[in-house]
Every structure is written in C-alpha cells, then in structure tokens.
Amino acid sequence: ASHELRSPLTVITGYLDSLADDEQIPDSWAKPVQQMQGQAQRMRHILGELLELSRLEGAGSAGHQEPVDVVALMQEVKLAFEGHADIARIDINAESAARLNGNAAEIETVLVNLLSNAIRFTPADGVITITWRSNSEGADLIVADTGEGIDPEYIPRLTERFFRVDKGRSRDDGGTGLGLAIVKHVLIRHDAELIISSEPGEGSEFRCHFRPERIVVAPAVSLSKGG
C-alpha cells in the first residue's frame, strides 16, 4: 500500500509546488497551498518510514558488515540538529573508542530517531546527552534527556507502531509514531535491545545495549620507538 501511494502523492506534490511558485496565484490561496504542501510532505515522511519499517521487519540479521565509528556518527547527528532553533543543548559523552560491527546507516537512523524524540519532549533550557560506552559485557548507546518524562504504564508500548503518549499533542508538533518501532527493529537486526527508563518530570533514558561479540575494541597503540 505504501508503494502504491507514493506515485499519486508525487503527482499531488508536484502540482502544489507549481501553484506555490506561480506569481499569479490569488493571495487567498497562498496559505492553503502552503498548508497542503506541509501535509503532503508529512505524508511522504510517513510513507518513507512505513517502507523502512517493512524492510527492517523482513531483513533478518544485519550481520557483521563493517566496524562503525559510533562516536563520529554521534558528532555528525548532533551537528545536523544544532542548526534547529529553540532546542535543548546536546552534549556528547564518548567514554569509549570501540567500534560496532553492523550497518552504519541503520545505526545513524537509531541516533536520529532517538534524538528527534528527545528534542520533541525536552524544553529548550534542558539538556540531552548522547553517550557511548563499552566494557566486557558489551556496549551501550544512550540518549538521555531532562524532559517531561513518561508514565511507567506507557513504557512497554512505546515501540508499537503509531503509539503516541500524548494524545492531546498536535500531530503537526509530534512525530509519526513510527520512530521507536524502527529503532526496535534496527536493534533486533544488530542482536541488541532497547531499554527505556523514565520518570514523569525527571526525563528519560533510551539505552541501546549491544552484545560483546558486536564490539571491536581498538588495539592499544605502542608509544615505544623500537630499536
């Protein structure tokens, strides 16, 4: 269904873009056309996420494809979001230089979705911290915030498709309800799990735990010059 909807939506979007660029369009049409463009873009985003989720659900294990530089991904994603106005401060806490065997694009998707979620529910004067750490038991990629928090009763349902905690929040202000479902399935492909902890008014922590066999520890660099 998502594939079938893409073609007519592309046609609709094309005509809307042409109307928006038409200097002869009546002033009374300018705002409605702009609103329709926004909703069409939102629908394209939802379709894209549905297709990605469908792909992940049927893709099986990601395998040990490549050593992913998680710290570099954290920095890239932070930079991409920092240009947005009125968002919480984003801090990076890189406690490990270890790399992660897997799919770099999918791990970036995890970071983008978790960070988007944290920004949505954290006030501009709050703080979001992205942490990467590892030890003998594996590694954790953590996105923690000082936002509004989540009632314990909702936590088990957060990775369901289209589940939204705040039903009163405008859909224009919120997400699609698919981001955490995508995160869950990326982690399943990487033999990992999502652990969520939160208290209302105290912020939230989304921890992605990866098994030891997925972790590539950088070898120690010898400081001796030899002889």
Side-chain angles (χ1 to χ4, degrees), residues 48-85:
E49 290 201 329
L50 279 170
L51 289 169
E52 176 66 5
L53 186 55
S54 178
R55 181 190 71 81
L56 290 168
E57 287 175 338
S61 175
H64 293 66
Q65 297 182 13
E66 59 181 324
V68 179
D69 188 341
V70 178
V71 175
L73 278 183
M74 289 162 59
Q75 293 168 339
E76 289 173 10
V77 172
K78 174 187 174 181
L79 185 62
F81 278 96
E82 282 186 328
H84 298 193

Side-chain angles (χ1 to χ4, degrees), residues 20-146:
D21 293 337
D22 189 346
E23 296 179 355
Q24 297 181 356
I25 187 173
D27 292 341
S28 60
W29 276 79
K31 186 174 181 180
V33 167
Q34 185 180 29
Q35 291 174 331
M36 286 187 284
Q37 280 183 300
Q39 292 304 316
Q41 181 60 35
R42 176 174 172 77
M43 189 174 292
R44 287 169 67 96
H45 182 61
I46 292 172
L47 291 177
E49 290 201 329
L50 279 170
L51 289 169
E52 176 66 5
L53 186 55
S54 178
R55 181 190 71 81
L56 290 168
E57 287 175 338
S61 175
H64 293 66
Q65 297 182 13
E66 59 181 324
V68 179
D69 188 341
V70 178
V71 175
L73 278 183
M74 289 162 59
Q75 293 168 339
E76 289 173 10
V77 172
K78 174 187 174 181
L79 185 62
F81 278 96
E82 282 186 328
H84 298 193
D86 299 322
I87 66 170
R89 189 180 83 235
I90 302 171
D91 291 340
I92 288 180
N93 180 25
E95 298 180 8
S96 172
R99 300 197 174 197
L100 173 69
N101 270 326
N103 184 299
E106 292 182 7
I107 298 303
E108 182 177 7
T109 296
V110 167
L111 273 168
V112 168
N113 279 298
L114 291 181
L115 191 52
S116 296
N117 197 58
I119 288 171
R120 192 173 301 118
F121 294 99
T122 305
D125 60 353
V127 179
I128 299 167
T129 305
I130 312 172
T131 300
W132 174 243
R133 68 189 185 197
S134 63
N135 54 35
S136 60
E137 298 180 352
D140 293 312
L141 177 59
I142 304 168
V143 176
D145 63 65
T146 60

